[in-house]
Amino acid sequence: MRIIGGSARGRQLKSPKGMLTRPTLDSTRESLFNILTNYGLEGASVLDIFAGTGALGLEALSRGAAHCVFIDHYTQRLIQENAAMCGFSGKYEVLRMEMGRALARLRGRTFQYIFADPPYDKNLVNDTISFIFQYQLLAADGLVIMEHSRHEDISENPLYSIIREKSYGKETRVSFICRRQEGE
């Protein structure tokens, strides 16, 4: 696994031993960031939930995001090592706690991009989205990029809209979610 574009392009990221994490494939990450190029990452504030290796948030920092908050209950040290290896000192923070508690702690802050890649088929997709909107973490013009199993559907809600979905391989779907504007 490596950083695909930007200032840290080509840097190899450390991965944990075993199957504690399921990293987003390089090809999927490249496709996601090709889509996000149209929205612009320069100076953005980013949140990476269930961060694992930190690859999504680190890719965003490499492509010009100003700051990233990583949330992962297990991989704090790994994310810190990968961020240091990429030269992102001072541009990130890591919250080593359960997702719901971490999102509650972030109340009052907003993010232009929120990446979430919960463990597949654990009923965490809709809970994660609910917390994001309950704590008003998504900026008015922001996007939630939710990577999830094709077997997990996102519930309809008057607070948000799915503006794009893309499938990768046999198991993975990525949904792009924005705040629903008044009058929609």
Side-chain angles (χ1 to χ4, degrees):
M1 188 172 9
R2 63 188 169 79
I3 299 294
I4 295 163
S7 64
R9 182 181 182 168
R11 297 261 166 75
Q12 294 292 323
L13 299 177
K14 294 180 179 181
S15 297
K17 305 222 182 316
M19 289 302 293
L20 184 61
T21 63
R22 177 196 32 76
T24 302
L25 297 174
D26 284 358
S27 58
T28 303
R29 202 162 12 97
E30 184 169 19
S31 176
L32 290 178
F33 280 92
N34 285 341
I35 292 167
L36 293 180
T37 297
N38 297 327
Y39 294 91
L41 284 162
E42 196 65 39
S45 181
V46 175
L47 176 60
D48 188 350
I49 309 169
F50 303 103
T53 63
L56 290 168
L58 294 171
E59 188 75 43
L61 288 171
S62 181
R63 293 173 185 245
H67 189 264
C68 183
V69 176
F70 296 93
I71 297 172
D72 201 289
H73 201 292
Y74 304 104
T75 60
Q76 177 182 12
R77 182 168 287 142
L78 178 67
I79 293 167
Q80 291 169 330
E81 289 174 12
N82 282 335
M85 190 170 33
C86 292
F88 297 139
S89 179
K91 290 187 164 191
Y92 72 94
E93 58 192 284
V94 182
L95 299 179
R96 183 183 179 206
M97 58 183 68
E98 179 271 328
M99 173 269 300
R101 276 187 41 230
L103 295 178
R105 179 178 279 187
L106 293 170
R107 185 188 320 231
R109 294 174 68 179
T110 59
F111 301 88
Q112 283 80 35
Y113 298 101
I114 299 176
F115 296 100
D117 185 8
Y120 282 10
D121 303 316
K122 302 282 187 200
N123 297 318
L124 291 168
V125 172
N126 287 300
D127 287 347
T128 303
I129 295 169
S130 289
F131 283 129
I132 290 167
F133 285 91
Q134 176 182 342
Y135 300 131
Q136 300 178 10
L137 299 174
L138 186 64
D141 59 348
L143 280 176
V144 175
I145 300 95
M146 175 64 72
E147 183 177 335
H148 55 104
S149 164
R150 285 181 153 181
H151 308 293
E152 292 180 285
D153 292 323
I154 295 175
S155 301
E156 288 192 30
N157 188 299
L159 296 176
Y160 56 81
S161 300
I162 298 171
I163 59 170
R164 184 175 186 163
E165 287 191 315
K166 189 160 171 60
S167 294
Y168 297 92
K170 294 179 182 176
E171 287 295 316
T172 301
R173 179 184 303 158
V174 176
S175 299
F176 294 81
I177 302 164
C178 68
R179 287 172 51 176
R180 187 166 278 160
Q181 305 302 316
E182 287 186 40
E184 279 188 42

